[in-house]
Short mmCIF file of all heavy atoms in Angstrom, two decimals:
data_model
loop_
_atom_site.label_atom_id
_atom_site.label_comp_id
_atom_site.label_asym_id
_atom_site.label_seq_id
_atom_site.Cartn_x
_atom_site.Cartn_y
_atom_site.Cartn_z
N ARG A 1 -10.09 -1.31 29.93
CA ARG A 1 -10.28 0.11 29.50
C ARG A 1 -9.46 1.12 30.21
O ARG A 1 -9.74 2.31 30.27
CB ARG A 1 -11.74 0.61 29.52
CG ARG A 1 -12.67 -0.15 28.58
CD ARG A 1 -14.03 0.46 28.53
NE ARG A 1 -14.94 -0.42 27.56
CZ ARG A 1 -16.05 -0.06 27.28
NH1 ARG A 1 -16.69 1.03 27.76
NH2 ARG A 1 -16.77 -0.81 26.46
N MET A 2 -8.39 0.68 30.88
CA MET A 2 -7.51 1.60 31.55
C MET A 2 -6.08 1.54 31.00
O MET A 2 -5.10 1.81 31.82
CB MET A 2 -7.44 1.13 33.04
CG MET A 2 -8.81 1.33 33.66
SD MET A 2 -9.40 3.09 33.85
CE MET A 2 -8.22 3.64 34.89
N ALA A 3 -5.90 1.12 29.69
CA ALA A 3 -4.56 1.06 29.22
C ALA A 3 -3.84 2.43 28.99
O ALA A 3 -4.79 3.25 28.54
CB ALA A 3 -4.46 0.17 27.95
N PRO A 4 -2.67 2.64 29.27
CA PRO A 4 -2.17 3.93 28.96
C PRO A 4 -2.03 4.20 27.40
O PRO A 4 -2.07 3.27 26.79
CB PRO A 4 -0.83 3.99 29.77
CG PRO A 4 -0.47 2.51 29.90
CD PRO A 4 -1.72 1.72 29.95
N ASP A 5 -1.74 5.40 27.13
CA ASP A 5 -1.54 5.87 25.75
C ASP A 5 -0.25 5.11 25.24
O ASP A 5 0.55 4.93 26.02
CB ASP A 5 -1.47 7.29 25.47
CG ASP A 5 -2.79 7.96 25.74
OD1 ASP A 5 -3.89 7.34 25.69
OD2 ASP A 5 -2.86 9.19 26.02
N GLY A 6 -0.32 4.79 23.95
CA GLY A 6 0.78 4.12 23.40
C GLY A 6 0.81 2.52 23.38
O GLY A 6 1.53 2.03 22.71
N TYR A 7 -0.25 2.02 23.88
CA TYR A 7 -0.45 0.56 23.70
C TYR A 7 -1.77 0.44 22.91
O TYR A 7 -2.63 1.13 23.04
CB TYR A 7 -0.60 -0.01 25.16
CG TYR A 7 0.58 -0.09 26.02
CD1 TYR A 7 0.83 0.84 26.95
CD2 TYR A 7 1.63 -0.92 25.70
CE1 TYR A 7 1.78 0.83 27.86
CE2 TYR A 7 2.69 -1.03 26.50
CZ TYR A 7 2.95 -0.17 27.51
OH TYR A 7 4.07 -0.12 28.32
N ALA A 8 -1.75 -0.72 22.26
CA ALA A 8 -3.01 -1.04 21.52
C ALA A 8 -3.16 -2.60 21.30
O ALA A 8 -1.99 -3.27 21.35
CB ALA A 8 -2.89 -0.48 20.16
N THR A 9 -4.39 -3.15 21.19
CA THR A 9 -4.52 -4.63 21.01
C THR A 9 -4.44 -4.83 19.49
O THR A 9 -4.28 -3.88 18.62
CB THR A 9 -5.99 -4.95 21.26
OG1 THR A 9 -6.88 -4.21 20.47
CG2 THR A 9 -6.31 -4.72 22.67
N ARG A 10 -4.29 -6.03 19.16
CA ARG A 10 -4.17 -6.37 17.69
C ARG A 10 -5.31 -5.71 16.85
O ARG A 10 -5.07 -5.25 15.74
CB ARG A 10 -4.22 -7.90 17.62
CG ARG A 10 -2.82 -8.61 17.84
CD ARG A 10 -3.07 -10.10 17.50
NE ARG A 10 -1.88 -10.73 17.87
CZ ARG A 10 -0.81 -11.02 16.97
NH1 ARG A 10 -0.89 -10.59 15.80
NH2 ARG A 10 0.23 -11.55 17.42
N ARG A 11 -6.52 -5.80 17.30
CA ARG A 11 -7.62 -5.20 16.48
C ARG A 11 -7.42 -3.68 16.41
O ARG A 11 -7.71 -3.08 15.26
CB ARG A 11 -8.95 -5.56 17.23
CG ARG A 11 -9.38 -7.03 16.89
CD ARG A 11 -10.72 -7.11 17.43
NE ARG A 11 -11.07 -8.55 17.10
CZ ARG A 11 -12.32 -9.01 17.34
NH1 ARG A 11 -13.36 -8.18 17.60
NH2 ARG A 11 -12.62 -10.26 17.09
N GLN A 12 -6.96 -3.04 17.44
CA GLN A 12 -6.81 -1.53 17.37
C GLN A 12 -5.72 -1.24 16.36
O GLN A 12 -5.83 -0.36 15.70
CB GLN A 12 -6.49 -1.03 18.77
CG GLN A 12 -7.70 -1.17 19.63
CD GLN A 12 -7.43 -0.76 20.99
OE1 GLN A 12 -6.21 -0.95 21.47
NE2 GLN A 12 -8.38 -0.27 21.79
N LEU A 13 -4.61 -2.02 16.50
CA LEU A 13 -3.53 -1.89 15.37
C LEU A 13 -3.96 -2.08 14.04
O LEU A 13 -3.76 -1.29 13.22
CB LEU A 13 -2.48 -2.75 15.75
CG LEU A 13 -1.56 -2.52 17.00
CD1 LEU A 13 -0.54 -3.60 17.15
CD2 LEU A 13 -0.90 -1.18 16.93
N ARG A 14 -4.83 -3.03 13.71
CA ARG A 14 -5.24 -3.41 12.43
C ARG A 14 -6.18 -2.33 11.98
O ARG A 14 -6.21 -1.97 10.77
CB ARG A 14 -6.01 -4.77 12.52
CG ARG A 14 -6.43 -5.25 11.13
CD ARG A 14 -5.25 -5.52 10.19
NE ARG A 14 -5.78 -5.96 8.96
CZ ARG A 14 -4.89 -6.70 8.15
NH1 ARG A 14 -3.72 -7.09 8.49
NH2 ARG A 14 -5.48 -6.97 6.97
N ALA A 15 -7.05 -1.70 12.88
CA ALA A 15 -7.86 -0.53 12.51
C ALA A 15 -7.08 0.62 11.99
O ALA A 15 -7.68 1.39 11.19
CB ALA A 15 -8.78 -0.27 13.71
N ASP A 16 -5.82 0.73 12.49
CA ASP A 16 -4.93 1.80 11.98
C ASP A 16 -3.93 1.38 10.90
O ASP A 16 -2.89 1.94 10.65
CB ASP A 16 -4.19 2.31 13.31
CG ASP A 16 -5.14 3.08 14.16
OD1 ASP A 16 -6.12 3.42 13.86
OD2 ASP A 16 -4.70 3.05 15.34
N ALA A 17 -4.25 0.16 10.26
CA ALA A 17 -3.35 -0.33 9.31
C ALA A 17 -2.06 -0.64 9.70
O ALA A 17 -0.93 -0.54 9.11
CB ALA A 17 -3.41 0.57 7.94
N LEU A 18 -1.85 -1.12 10.92
CA LEU A 18 -0.75 -1.67 11.55
C LEU A 18 -0.76 -2.99 12.01
O LEU A 18 -1.82 -3.54 12.09
CB LEU A 18 -0.38 -0.73 12.79
CG LEU A 18 -0.11 0.79 12.48
CD1 LEU A 18 -0.01 1.50 13.93
CD2 LEU A 18 1.04 1.03 11.66
N ARG A 19 0.41 -3.68 12.39
CA ARG A 19 0.60 -5.07 12.84
C ARG A 19 1.72 -5.05 13.87
O ARG A 19 2.56 -4.12 13.85
CB ARG A 19 0.82 -5.94 11.61
CG ARG A 19 2.28 -5.59 11.00
CD ARG A 19 2.49 -6.61 9.77
NE ARG A 19 3.55 -6.14 8.96
CZ ARG A 19 4.89 -6.61 9.12
NH1 ARG A 19 5.10 -7.51 9.91
NH2 ARG A 19 5.80 -6.13 8.36
N PRO A 20 1.66 -6.07 14.72
CA PRO A 20 2.63 -5.96 15.85
C PRO A 20 4.08 -6.04 15.30
O PRO A 20 4.99 -5.46 15.85
CB PRO A 20 2.34 -7.33 16.64
CG PRO A 20 0.81 -7.30 16.43
CD PRO A 20 0.62 -6.99 15.00
N GLY A 21 4.21 -6.83 14.11
CA GLY A 21 5.64 -6.90 13.45
C GLY A 21 6.63 -7.55 14.24
O GLY A 21 7.77 -7.31 14.26
N GLY A 22 6.27 -8.70 14.96
CA GLY A 22 7.19 -9.53 15.67
C GLY A 22 7.53 -9.02 17.10
O GLY A 22 8.44 -9.75 17.72
N GLN A 23 7.12 -7.87 17.52
CA GLN A 23 7.28 -7.43 18.86
C GLN A 23 6.74 -8.31 19.84
O GLN A 23 5.61 -8.91 19.68
CB GLN A 23 7.01 -5.99 18.93
CG GLN A 23 5.49 -5.77 18.99
CD GLN A 23 5.12 -4.29 19.36
OE1 GLN A 23 5.45 -3.93 20.39
NE2 GLN A 23 4.47 -3.58 18.37
N PRO A 24 7.32 -8.46 20.98
CA PRO A 24 6.64 -9.24 22.13
C PRO A 24 5.48 -8.44 22.70
O PRO A 24 5.38 -7.28 22.55
CB PRO A 24 7.71 -9.48 23.16
CG PRO A 24 8.71 -8.20 22.94
CD PRO A 24 8.62 -7.99 21.44
N VAL A 25 4.70 -9.13 23.47
CA VAL A 25 3.47 -8.56 24.20
C VAL A 25 4.18 -7.51 25.29
O VAL A 25 5.02 -8.00 25.94
CB VAL A 25 2.70 -9.67 24.99
CG1 VAL A 25 1.67 -8.96 25.79
CG2 VAL A 25 1.98 -10.52 23.86
N ALA A 26 3.67 -6.31 25.24
CA ALA A 26 4.21 -5.30 26.05
C ALA A 26 3.43 -5.24 27.39
O ALA A 26 4.01 -4.78 28.40
CB ALA A 26 4.23 -4.04 25.27
N ALA A 27 2.18 -5.47 27.39
CA ALA A 27 1.31 -5.26 28.52
C ALA A 27 -0.01 -6.14 28.31
O ALA A 27 -0.07 -6.67 27.27
CB ALA A 27 0.95 -3.83 28.82
N GLN A 28 -0.80 -6.23 29.30
CA GLN A 28 -2.09 -6.85 29.22
C GLN A 28 -3.18 -6.14 29.85
O GLN A 28 -2.99 -5.49 30.88
CB GLN A 28 -1.91 -8.36 29.53
CG GLN A 28 -1.64 -8.53 31.08
CD GLN A 28 -1.47 -9.96 31.43
OE1 GLN A 28 -1.69 -10.89 30.77
NE2 GLN A 28 -1.11 -10.19 32.80
N LEU A 29 -4.43 -6.42 29.44
CA LEU A 29 -5.52 -6.05 30.21
C LEU A 29 -6.24 -7.29 30.78
O LEU A 29 -6.34 -8.26 30.13
CB LEU A 29 -6.64 -5.35 29.23
CG LEU A 29 -6.18 -4.01 28.51
CD1 LEU A 29 -7.27 -3.68 27.51
CD2 LEU A 29 -5.92 -3.04 29.53
N LEU A 30 -6.71 -7.16 31.96
CA LEU A 30 -7.34 -8.25 32.59
C LEU A 30 -8.68 -7.83 33.12
O LEU A 30 -8.84 -6.62 33.63
CB LEU A 30 -6.64 -8.82 33.86
CG LEU A 30 -5.31 -9.66 33.47
CD1 LEU A 30 -4.57 -10.16 34.75
CD2 LEU A 30 -5.68 -10.90 32.59
N TRP A 31 -9.72 -8.60 33.04
CA TRP A 31 -11.04 -8.33 33.62
C TRP A 31 -11.94 -9.50 33.69
O TRP A 31 -11.61 -10.50 33.14
CB TRP A 31 -11.76 -7.22 32.65
CG TRP A 31 -12.16 -7.65 31.38
CD1 TRP A 31 -13.60 -8.13 31.15
CD2 TRP A 31 -11.51 -7.96 30.14
NE1 TRP A 31 -13.75 -8.44 29.81
CE2 TRP A 31 -12.48 -8.26 29.30
CE3 TRP A 31 -10.27 -7.66 29.88
CZ2 TRP A 31 -12.08 -8.58 27.99
CZ3 TRP A 31 -9.83 -7.93 28.54
CH2 TRP A 31 -10.74 -8.45 27.60
N PHE A 32 -12.91 -9.55 34.47
CA PHE A 32 -13.88 -10.52 34.64
C PHE A 32 -15.13 -10.28 33.75
O PHE A 32 -15.48 -9.17 33.65
CB PHE A 32 -14.33 -10.77 36.10
CG PHE A 32 -13.39 -11.37 37.04
CD1 PHE A 32 -12.63 -10.77 38.00
CD2 PHE A 32 -12.98 -12.72 36.80
CE1 PHE A 32 -11.85 -11.38 38.84
CE2 PHE A 32 -12.07 -13.42 37.66
CZ PHE A 32 -11.59 -12.72 38.64
N SER A 33 -15.45 -11.30 33.06
CA SER A 33 -16.59 -11.20 32.18
C SER A 33 -17.76 -12.16 32.43
O SER A 33 -17.47 -13.25 32.86
CB SER A 33 -16.02 -11.46 30.84
OG SER A 33 -17.19 -11.44 29.87
N ASN A 34 -18.87 -11.72 32.46
CA ASN A 34 -20.12 -12.57 32.56
C ASN A 34 -20.72 -13.11 31.19
O ASN A 34 -21.70 -13.79 31.20
CB ASN A 34 -21.29 -11.86 33.30
CG ASN A 34 -20.91 -11.56 34.74
OD1 ASN A 34 -20.25 -12.39 35.35
ND2 ASN A 34 -21.33 -10.44 35.20
N ARG A 35 -20.01 -12.69 30.17
CA ARG A 35 -20.45 -13.25 28.79
C ARG A 35 -20.08 -14.66 28.56
O ARG A 35 -19.05 -15.06 28.91
CB ARG A 35 -19.89 -12.29 27.70
CG ARG A 35 -20.29 -10.88 27.85
CD ARG A 35 -19.78 -10.04 26.65
NE ARG A 35 -20.52 -10.43 25.47
CZ ARG A 35 -20.03 -10.04 24.24
NH1 ARG A 35 -19.13 -9.24 24.17
NH2 ARG A 35 -20.66 -10.59 23.25
N ARG A 36 -20.90 -15.37 27.76
CA ARG A 36 -20.64 -16.80 27.33
C ARG A 36 -20.37 -17.62 28.47
O ARG A 36 -19.30 -18.31 28.52
CB ARG A 36 -19.43 -16.76 26.38
CG ARG A 36 -19.81 -15.93 25.02
CD ARG A 36 -18.76 -16.07 24.06
NE ARG A 36 -18.94 -15.11 22.95
CZ ARG A 36 -18.87 -15.50 21.72
NH1 ARG A 36 -18.39 -16.64 21.46
NH2 ARG A 36 -19.14 -14.60 20.85
N ARG A 37 -21.15 -17.54 29.56
CA ARG A 37 -20.98 -18.49 30.57
C ARG A 37 -22.27 -19.04 30.97
O ARG A 37 -23.32 -18.40 30.90
CB ARG A 37 -20.19 -17.87 31.90
CG ARG A 37 -21.12 -16.82 32.50
CD ARG A 37 -20.43 -16.33 33.65
NE ARG A 37 -21.29 -15.25 34.41
CZ ARG A 37 -22.02 -15.51 35.51
NH1 ARG A 37 -22.02 -16.73 36.00
NH2 ARG A 37 -22.71 -14.50 35.96
N PRO A 38 -22.32 -20.36 31.51
CA PRO A 38 -23.57 -20.79 31.95
C PRO A 38 -24.20 -20.07 33.05
O PRO A 38 -23.43 -19.51 33.94
CB PRO A 38 -23.21 -22.23 32.27
CG PRO A 38 -21.87 -22.57 31.88
CD PRO A 38 -21.22 -21.29 31.65
N THR A 39 -25.44 -20.23 33.29
CA THR A 39 -26.07 -19.48 34.35
C THR A 39 -25.63 -20.15 35.70
O THR A 39 -25.53 -21.30 35.82
CB THR A 39 -27.68 -19.63 34.28
OG1 THR A 39 -28.11 -19.11 32.97
CG2 THR A 39 -28.30 -18.97 35.38
N GLY A 40 -25.30 -19.19 36.63
CA GLY A 40 -24.83 -19.75 37.85
C GLY A 40 -23.28 -19.98 38.06
O GLY A 40 -22.80 -20.15 39.12
N ALA A 41 -22.70 -19.91 37.00
CA ALA A 41 -21.29 -20.21 36.86
C ALA A 41 -20.46 -18.97 37.19
O ALA A 41 -20.91 -17.80 36.88
CB ALA A 41 -20.69 -20.63 35.49
N PRO A 42 -19.29 -18.98 37.82
CA PRO A 42 -18.59 -17.74 38.25
C PRO A 42 -18.11 -16.99 36.96
O PRO A 42 -17.89 -17.58 35.77
CB PRO A 42 -17.39 -18.31 39.03
CG PRO A 42 -17.29 -19.69 38.54
CD PRO A 42 -18.62 -20.18 38.08
N PRO A 43 -17.80 -15.65 37.07
CA PRO A 43 -17.45 -14.89 35.96
C PRO A 43 -16.00 -15.48 35.40
O PRO A 43 -15.28 -16.13 36.18
CB PRO A 43 -17.18 -13.61 36.44
CG PRO A 43 -17.97 -13.51 37.74
CD PRO A 43 -18.08 -14.78 38.19
N VAL A 44 -15.81 -15.23 34.11
CA VAL A 44 -14.68 -15.83 33.48
C VAL A 44 -13.56 -14.68 33.40
O VAL A 44 -13.95 -13.55 33.11
CB VAL A 44 -15.07 -16.25 31.96
CG1 VAL A 44 -13.63 -16.72 31.33
CG2 VAL A 44 -15.97 -17.38 32.04
N LEU A 45 -12.40 -15.07 33.70
CA LEU A 45 -11.20 -14.09 33.65
C LEU A 45 -10.84 -13.99 32.22
O LEU A 45 -10.48 -14.98 31.40
CB LEU A 45 -9.90 -14.57 34.41
CG LEU A 45 -8.85 -13.72 34.47
CD1 LEU A 45 -9.16 -12.27 35.08
CD2 LEU A 45 -7.70 -14.24 35.15
N ARG A 46 -10.85 -12.68 31.58
CA ARG A 46 -10.51 -12.47 30.23
C ARG A 46 -9.08 -11.56 30.16
O ARG A 46 -8.92 -10.95 31.11
CB ARG A 46 -11.69 -11.63 29.60
CG ARG A 46 -12.98 -12.20 29.67
CD ARG A 46 -13.26 -13.49 28.86
NE ARG A 46 -12.91 -13.21 27.45
CZ ARG A 46 -13.82 -12.80 26.48
NH1 ARG A 46 -14.94 -12.63 26.78
NH2 ARG A 46 -13.35 -12.65 25.25
N VAL A 47 -8.56 -11.78 29.00
CA VAL A 47 -7.25 -11.13 28.84
C VAL A 47 -7.26 -10.56 27.54
O VAL A 47 -7.65 -11.23 26.68
CB VAL A 47 -6.11 -12.07 29.19
CG1 VAL A 47 -6.07 -13.20 28.28
CG2 VAL A 47 -4.76 -11.32 29.08
#
């Protein structure tokens, strides 16, 4: 949730009726998530 203005994920582009159109990945978001992991397992790195 800290991406600067001017960047969007595929879903955000699709919500605005846009597509990446062949451009390369410009940036990424990284975070640790506790969702969909077994109890006691370490958090999963999401991108």
Side-chain angles (χ1 to χ4, degrees):
R1 295 188 180 183
M2 296 294 293
D5 292 336
Y7 291 104
T9 63
R10 282 183 179 267
R11 285 188 181 197
Q12 290 168 336
L13 289 176
R14 187 63 182 206
D16 294 336
L18 297 171
R19 61 186 170 95
Q23 67 172 298
V25 173
Q28 66 183 353
L29 297 176
L30 289 177
W31 72 98
F32 282 112
S33 173
N34 291 325
R35 295 182 68 191
R36 299 182 186 224
R37 69 179 180 100
T39 305
V44 178
L45 180 64
R46 305 289 305 268
V47 63

